[in-house]
């Protein structure tokens, strides 16, 4: 999953960036409203964590412009504990949820997971498909009830595919979920992780869609 972190405070930004990366999210971090707007116009994100008090352009303004472009990416706004009016304005401007600053980091992660789950059209916290079960909160994976160890990047490839069976994701789309701006990308990385996933979870789970990308089929193979 690829996230945009919009935060002008360096210390907070670094702490949240470290946390999100440790949770295997690919993260781009911008520090003002103009850069946030540019990033949102040019990249696809699975979620935006948006501080509202920003230099150059206010977070609410960035949010309104995003929704005016009809971009549906989930947005979690960050506001001060006593800023009730700002939270109301943010939610009414198209934010999906809010988190209070200073952050409780565990709560922040749980809210991210909840929004990502809803964005994938799911309510249940654990995904089960074709005998493969994944839990985004604990990162536990089982195949036919047996625990399976995945690397962080194998997880990052599997989760979006398993979250929406029948949806084809291109190699480029999967790469976007693996890497932030500053990461090195090797040209066959996605193929390597798909290969590892097939070895661990069975050859039939992830299918190639010739010339388009990869998917987990809705029905069994
Ligand atoms: Ca701020």
């Amino acid at each position: 999953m690829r996230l945009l972190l919009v935060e002008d405070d360096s210390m907070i930004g670094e702490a949240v960036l470290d946390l999100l990366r440790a949770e295997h999210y690919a993260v781009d971090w911008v520090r003002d409203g103009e850069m946030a707007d540019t990033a949102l116009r040019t990249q696809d994100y699975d979620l935006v964590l948006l501080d509202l008090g920003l230099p150059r352009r206010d977070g609410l303004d960035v949010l309104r412009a995003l929704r005016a472009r009809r971009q549906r990416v989930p947005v979690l706004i960050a506001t001060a504990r006593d800023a009730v009016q700002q939270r109301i304005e943010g939610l009414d401007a198209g934010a999906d949820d809010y988190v209070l600053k200073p952050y409780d980091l565990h709560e922040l992660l749980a809210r991210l997971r909840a929004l990502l789950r809803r964005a994938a059209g799911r309510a249940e916290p654990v995904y089960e498909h074709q005998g493969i079960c994944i839990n985004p909160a604990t990162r536990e994976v089982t195949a036919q009830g047996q625990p399976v160890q995945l690397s962080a990047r194998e997880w990052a490839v599997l989760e979006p595919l398993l979250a929406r069976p029948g949806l084809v994701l291109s190699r480029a789309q999967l790469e976007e979920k693996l890497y932030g701006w500053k990461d090195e990308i090797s040209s066959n990385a996605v193929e390597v992780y798909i290969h590892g996933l097939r070895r661990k979870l069975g050859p039939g789970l992830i299918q190639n869609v010739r010339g388009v990308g990869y998917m987990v089929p809705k029905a069994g193979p």
Side-chain angles (χ1 to χ4, degrees):
M1 295 286 164
R2 184 161 180 175
L3 274 44
L4 181 66
L5 167 63
V6 187
E7 173 59 67
D8 59 311
D9 184 295
S10 294
M11 273 178 56
I12 297 173
E14 271 162 32
V16 174
L17 186 71
D18 285 351
L19 174 82
L20 296 177
R21 291 204 167 140
E23 292 289 316
H24 309 329
Y25 294 111
V27 186
D28 297 331
W29 175 18
V30 295
R31 298 163 188 244
D32 68 55
E34 282 298 334
M35 285 177 69
D37 190 69
T38 302
L40 289 164
R41 286 170 186 272
T42 51
Q43 296 277 334
D44 269 334
Y45 292 100
D46 295 295
L47 189 142
V48 183
L49 177 57
L50 179 66
D51 183 32
L52 291 183
L54 293 170
R56 293 178 74 200
R57 189 166 172 184
D58 184 68
L60 272 177
D61 192 45
V62 173
L63 176 60
R64 290 196 180 101
L66 177 78
R67 294 312 187 209
R69 292 193 298 273
R70 307 208 169 197
Q71 288 181 264
R72 301 185 61 182
V73 57
V75 175
L76 182 58
I77 51 172
T79 75
R81 201 158 291 272
D82 56 1
V84 180
Q85 188 57 35
Q86 195 182 40
R87 286 201 285 286
I88 293 169
E89 280 181 51
L91 291 166
D92 283 338
D96 298 277
D97 195 5
Y98 65 87
V99 65
L100 299 177
K101 292 173 103 172
Y103 294 124
D104 179 295
L105 295 178
H106 294 289
E107 183 190 8
L108 171 62
L109 291 175
R111 286 185 189 270
L112 292 178
R113 286 191 293 267
L115 283 184
L116 291 169
R117 177 162 87 216
R118 279 288 171 188
R122 288 174 177 270
E124 67 275 24
V126 174
Y127 308 167
E128 198 279 328
H129 190 71
Q130 292 185 36
I132 310 297
C133 194
I134 69 172
N135 184 335
T138 62
R139 302 200 169 272
E140 287 167 324
V141 180
T142 60
Q144 279 74 42
Q146 297 301 309
V148 178
Q149 298 297 325
L150 298 186
S151 72
R153 296 230 152 124
E154 286 170 345
W155 170 274
V157 169
L158 177 65
E159 191 190 10
L161 289 169
L162 203 69
R164 299 186 198 192
L167 179 74
V168 180
L169 292 175
S170 68
R171 194 176 82 174
Q173 285 173 316
L174 287 171
E175 277 174 354
E176 284 184 357
K177 298 191 184 299
L178 282 168
Y179 302 105
W181 287 327
K182 289 175 185 160
D183 297 322
E184 294 259 333
I185 303 178
S186 67
S187 61
N188 66 342
V190 169
E191 283 86 346
V192 170
Y193 302 130
I194 296 270
H195 178 78
L197 287 167
R198 285 178 173 150
R199 192 167 47 76
K200 293 176 181 178
L201 301 173
L205 180 69
I206 300 171
Q207 292 189 358
N208 284 29
V209 181
R210 197 178 293 275
V212 186
Y214 299 94
M215 74 163 178
V216 168
K218 277 189 175 167

